[in-house]
Amino acid sequence: MSSSTAIAPISSRTDLQPSGAANGSEEQYVTFTVGNEEYGVNILAVREIRGWTPESRLPNLPDYVRGVINLRGIIIPIFDLRARFGGGLTQVTKRHVVVVMQVGERTRGILVDAISDILAIGHDAIKPPPDVDSGLIDAEYLSGLYTAENRMVTLLNVGKLFAGEHVDQDATRAALEPT
Amino acid sequence: MDDLSRFKQTYFDESAELLAVAEAGLLRLAPGEIDMDEVNAIFRAVHSIKGGGGAFGFNDLVAFAHEFETVMDGVRNAEIPVSTELVDTLIRANDVLARLLAHAADETEAPAGTTDDTVAALRRFLDKTGEQANEAAQPAAIQAAAGFHPDDEDDEAGIFGDALAAIQAARDDQPAPAAGPVPEGKVRWTIVFRPKAELLLSGNEPTYMLRALRRLGEAEVVCHLDRLPSLRDLDAELLHLSWTVTLLADPQVDRAQIDDVFEFVADDCDIRISAEAPPPAIIPPALIAPAEPVPAAAPAPAANLPQPATPAATTSGAAGAAKPGDGAKRTNGGTGGSDHAGPTTHTIRVDLDKIDRLVNMVGEMVITQAMIAEHLRDLPPGQFQELLEGLEGLAQHTRELRESVMSIRAQPVSSVFSRMPRLVRECAAVTGKEVMLVTTGETTEVDKTVVENLVDPLTHMIRNSIDHGLEGPDERERVGKPRAGTVHLSAAHRSGRIVIEVTDDGRGINRAKVLSKAIEKGLVQPGASLSDEEIDHLIFLPGFSTADQVSNLSGRGVGMDVVRRNISSLGGRIGVYSTPGEGSRFVLSLPLTLAVLDGMVISVGEERFVLPLTNIVESLRPKPADLHGLVNKCDVMMARGEYVRLVHLHRLFGIPKAIDDATKGLVVLVETEDGSRLGLVVDEVLGQQQVVIKSLEANFRRLDGVAAATILGDGRVALILDVAGLREMSRHGAGNGNAPADSTPPSPSLPAPADKSDQRQRQTV
């Protein structure tokens, strides 16, 4: 029963923003950095932010699946966002953090370099992702772009980002390719 | 809709229990001495299923249950004699009912004709009783309607279910209020209950009130049908019945209690209550209007008397009602307030999810506690003495807590064992053998999941014992055994596991036949020499059967391999011991719970894994001379006179910095569920440990070669290996190439390497 209630606010908020833009209401986003880039996820999807703890590897999976960690008794997978975006494996230090997110019924963590900000972003301020070559970037998991001062923040749709990860390891690879 | 489906679930749950009650009762039912309590219990069970089914509109089910119930009614009124044939038919009827319920639960239509045979069979018994029984049926119906069996029937539709009988009763016999002297120490209340026709519309249910009255004492309920319109004019939503209840209660039962029964309907009905008592009687309150408040004259202590709790459904209502009365009598005139006499149930039903959550939390505590302990080990000795003592206490409490929580999930194996007499009975009938089933240790407790998963294996094993093990009665006589064979089913706890044995005193395993069959089926190489024990274990191979003819029971070659698979999926093992001419013994050994697992922690590179202890045969460091290459593709090792395939875990899982040379690391000899062996090459064996099984799928997904995960004492996650999965992986590539030729047939005697000259000493020094 938690699944539907948990999914609804997250996905509807990230997906349906243009339609609800009239009132200009704001949503809060947690933003973090990976390398020089800044990304944001809806704060409602974020369960907690924790320091890096060594993971246990999982066999025969793409490198961006770092492994699993013990989150107070539940076992959650950790995804390396840098590796996910093709930047190679993150060389983790104690300063790296894991953003633990609730995606549907599942809890998962993404490894990022650092948390940078919490931004209140109005619907109107979110620009649609540019029309990039879909072979280059899969726009599926980008829910929009936002300009904070002079930085660009890429807003991610976490539901889509690791969609299918639980179904089939090839699904994410397939999702990266043009459909 | 949601609400309704919830009630439905409750109904199905309860029906399952009721079916079990009915079946248990039916199995005890035998010609000769008939235990009326038993018969009533069966009747009630069927009746309740029917009643509930009616409420949900399961018409087929209700119709069938009605047929069933009618015969049971005949039995309890001694119109239908109990014969073996009858019992068999009734048992079948119980099965059909179960099937109908299953269909109802799935929301599928039962195939047409499901019930026909059984209904016909049931009706035959009714016809046999003939004309005269028809006459007899009427008084019987009156008895039923008039609450002659004052059981606290848990039937929703009790009143309506018996309505037809009641109509009959009312026509034949205008019930006169029971006359005769009031027994000593009792008060007879006469309650005339005439509800308004709209009573049902407000959601009230007269059944409950009548039932509540029954709880106060011995009640005779007479139903009046004078207001019942003809069928054409009948409005099903209105209530056309009224009742007269003659209640024989203890003096402690006072007017207020009776008024309480009608409290919510006082405005919707017309109630007259009168009492008569033997001489020093409690002042019988005169006819009082129903809405009037409790008379001030009512004896105070009695007013405080708690309502007796609902008696357990199986105990007869009369006994249940008498008990609280007795208790009250003893404390009569006392304060009464603290008097909680009466049958209280000592069990509660709890949602399994809640228990599982509790089990999880306790698992967490175990891990946390292990974690703290590990950190404190590094503290300088002498200091922090109190902290260490506290931790010691915590460890002990955690252990106890874990055991208690596990025991909540534990169930006696009797719930499985109790199904076996039925099976034995059927098997004996089919095979024409005489079989006696002896069970011991039914109270042995084991985790609910384990209990549930024991049914299939045990069914197979007992069938197998009867069909293959036991001889026919004549043959037994010839060899000087009693005509009836004995199958002994036992359960016991042994060193943290449950051991279940199925023993028969039959002919034992015919090894020559088993071996020749196995060779014939190509399961064993001709000329292979196998030990007796190995031959006995051949029966677990898939596709193996010694029966020359496929019988109804067994012989299709599925069975013992399924048993083995089921048992090993529960983390158990099965063994067989047989003495020709004396019988065979199958021994199952199972873990007590599926929440924790005995494992061996191993390391490969920087990773640690847990191997289930049940899979491990031994671990050894091979000598270079023991290692061979098979067709250059696969490493094999000679271990205890057998060649086993080596699987390098680090190659399979792609783990860096691991030891590749088996002579430098360790080989853990593991055995998969079908008995084939595998040598896992690992770096190190770190030690044995109980681990809490954690799901990997909850937040991620299943992985090949991984059964689950766990959390070790340092808080790190370790994967629990799935040996059968590893074998599959190693067969289909991952470093070994696709070599179908060396995919080992699940045979305990591996064929020798094809070409000796091709062997290559695998020695990397």
Side-chain angles (χ1 to χ4, degrees), chain B residues 98-114:
Chain B
R99 228 169 300 146
L100 292 173
L101 273 167
H103 279 292
D106 293 346
E107 295 181 358
T108 52
E109 285 285 311
T114 311

Side-chain angles (χ1 to χ4, degrees), chain B residues 676-689:
Chain B
S676 64
R677 291 183 172 184
L678 213 65
L680 278 186
V681 181
V682 304
D683 289 7
E684 234 184 310
V685 171
L686 298 175
Q688 190 183 330
Q689 192 182 330

Side-chain angles (χ1 to χ4, degrees), chain A residues 7 20 25 54 57 62 72 86 125 141 143 149 161 174:
Chain A
I7 286 174
S25 69
R57 274 199 31 150
R72 288 181 303 278
Y141 53 79
S143 61
E149 286 144 35
L161 191 57

Side-chain angles (χ1 to χ4, degrees), chain B residues 471-662:
Chain B
E471 312 91 335
D474 297 337
E475 191 187 333
R476 289 182 66 89
E477 222 158 43
R478 264 204 307 283
V479 297
K481 292 184 186 174
R483 281 181 70 84
T486 307
V487 174
H488 188 179
L489 182 60
S490 74
H493 281 153
R494 211 172 291 159
S495 60
R497 291 173 79 81
I498 183 170
V499 176
I500 294 177
E501 295 192 6
V502 180
T503 315
D504 66 69
D505 62 349
R507 53 172 86 95
I509 292 176
N510 185 341
R511 297 198 175 113
K513 196 171 170 186
V514 166
L515 189 58
S516 67
K517 262 274 149 60
I519 292 173
E520 184 189 308
K521 300 210 169 191
L523 300 168
V524 172
Q525 301 294 314
S529 67
L530 299 175
S531 67
D532 285 355
E533 197 193 333
E534 282 172 323
I535 296 174
D536 289 348
H537 279 88
L538 288 177
I539 60 170
F540 294 113
L541 294 185
F544 187 85
S545 172
T546 51
D548 293 321
Q549 285 176 335
V550 172
S551 71
N552 247 345
L553 282 184
S554 50
R556 287 193 203 87
V558 289
M560 293 316 277
D561 67 311
V562 176
V563 169
R564 158 115 79 168
R565 208 160 41 236
N566 287 353
I567 297 299
S568 44
S569 71
L570 292 174
R573 294 182 70 81
I574 184 166
V576 56
Y577 306 90
S578 172
T579 316
E582 285 177 28
S584 19
R585 184 160 63 99
F586 290 88
V587 181
L588 302 181
S589 153
L590 292 155
L592 291 179
T593 163
L594 299 181
V596 289
L597 172 124
D598 277 309
M600 190 69 85
V601 184
I602 56 166
S603 73
V604 180
E606 283 168 5
E607 301 297 324
R608 279 172 299 169
F609 297 95
V610 176
L611 265 171
L613 215 52
T614 49
N615 288 117
I616 298 180
V617 182
E618 61 178 326
S619 62
L620 50 113
R621 174 165 288 165
K623 287 193 272 295
D626 296 333
L627 301 177
H628 312 280
L630 178 61
V631 212
N632 259 343
K633 281 184 174 160
C634 169
D635 295 326
V636 295
M637 184 184 86
M638 176 60 101
R640 312 228 160 205
E642 265 181 43
Y643 284 107
V644 293
R645 199 153 49 95
L646 288 186
V647 172
H648 291 79
L649 201 59
H650 74 96
R651 293 191 203 163
L652 216 51
F653 279 2
I655 300 164
K657 293 185 236 162
I659 300 175
D660 188 64
D661 183 1

Side-chain angles (χ1 to χ4, degrees), chain A residues 56 61 73 106-107 165 169, chain B residues 364 652 694 699-701 717:
Chain A
S56 297
L61 289 175
R106 290 159 192 273
T107 309
E165 193 51 62
Q169 68 190 80
Chain B
E364 285 335 299
L652 216 51
K694 296 274 172 187
N699 290 306
F700 195 49
R701 64 182 183 84
V717 178

Side-chain angles (χ1 to χ4, degrees), chain A residues 54-61 65 68-70 72-77 79 106-108 165-166 169, chain B residues 364 607 652-654 656 694-701 703 706 709-711 715-719 729:
Chain A
E55 83 285 21
S56 297
R57 274 199 31 150
L58 295 174
N60 303 325
L61 289 175
V65 184
V68 281
I69 62 162
N70 163 24
R72 288 181 303 278
I74 60 165
I75 292 177
I76 64 164
F79 299 97
R106 290 159 192 273
T107 309
R108 42 194 43 183
E165 193 51 62
H166 55 280
Q169 68 190 80
Chain B
E364 285 335 299
E607 301 297 324
L652 216 51
F653 279 2
K694 296 274 172 187
S695 162
L696 198 58
E697 287 152 66
N699 290 306
F700 195 49
R701 64 182 183 84
L703 290 173
V706 176
T710 188
I711 296 165
R716 292 280 299 268
V717 178
L719 302 179
M729 284 172 78

